[in-house]
Amino acid sequence: MPLIIALHSTAPAVVTGLGWALLAILFCSVVPYGVIWVGVRRGRLTDHHIGVREQRRMPLVYGLLSVLVGLAALVLAGAPRPLVAMVVVMFAVLLIVTAINQAWKLSAHAAVASGSMSVLVIVFGLALIPSLAIVALVGWSRVQLGDHTIGQVVAGAVAGILIAVPTFLLLA
């Protein structure tokens, strides 16, 4: 998502867009996943899906902190406004998912997919509405893997849309 938004925001300067995208990806994906990977490798987490509720808090908090550091770096370095807005959306979705997941296992995958696809529709227009089928595929996979119920997937997808759309529209 950051790659698409960064490239679109800096067109035709592809190299500049790639630089912004890499910075956002580092703090929004690589570092948070690295925290989880290290936790699994050290035996502090049972798996990379963090299926045990009691194990979720710290990796999610570290993820939030990483996204905040990345957001600060993007703002201070003068990143394109739509990319900054997208990272704020990522933070907001992660914050809500973190809060809800302390009590109930909402599907973070569905929230991220629906939020991301909603932003793509906002940026590129209504022609991308069929791409929302990706959200259904993500949800289906989460249920098929036994990681979530249909209710958890639907709640995640709705939360992603309800957080992403107004946040991105307000900031972009």
Side-chain angles (χ1 to χ4, degrees):
M1 199 60 201
L3 177 64
I4 294 167
I5 298 299
L7 289 174
H8 181 264
S9 300
T10 60
V14 173
V15 173
T16 302
L18 285 174
W20 290 122
L22 289 174
L23 183 61
I25 290 167
L26 174 66
F27 288 101
C28 297
S29 297
V30 175
V31 170
Y33 187 76
V35 167
I36 294 168
W37 184 81
V38 168
V40 171
R41 297 276 295 169
R42 292 188 176 164
R44 293 185 187 141
L45 302 174
T46 53
D47 61 274
H48 72 279
H49 294 289
I50 316 174
V52 178
R53 181 178 303 159
E54 296 78 24
Q55 296 176 353
R56 291 183 201 144
R57 179 172 291 146
M58 289 316 296
L60 290 170
V61 168
Y62 287 136
L64 285 166
L65 291 173
S66 179
V67 174
L68 274 180
V69 169
L71 181 60
L74 289 167
V75 169
L76 291 172
R81 189 173 178 99
L83 180 60
V84 171
M86 183 67 225
V87 173
V88 171
V89 165
M90 293 171 148
F91 178 79
V93 169
L94 183 58
L95 181 64
I96 297 303
V97 167
T98 298
I100 292 171
N101 273 334
Q102 299 310 305
W104 188 63
K105 191 178 179 189
L106 174 128
S107 174
H109 288 87
V112 169
S114 67
S116 297
M117 298 315 295
S118 297
V119 169
L120 284 178
V121 169
I122 292 168
V123 172
F124 294 104
L126 297 177
L128 284 184
I129 284 183
S131 69
L132 291 172
I134 293 170
V135 177
L137 290 173
V138 168
W140 171 82
S141 74
R142 305 308 296 155
V143 172
Q144 287 299 307
L145 288 170
D147 287 336
H148 291 286
T149 65
I150 293 172
Q152 291 168 334
V153 167
V154 170
V158 169
I161 292 168
L162 291 177
I163 297 163
V165 170
T167 303
F168 190 80
L169 288 173
L170 181 67
L171 298 174

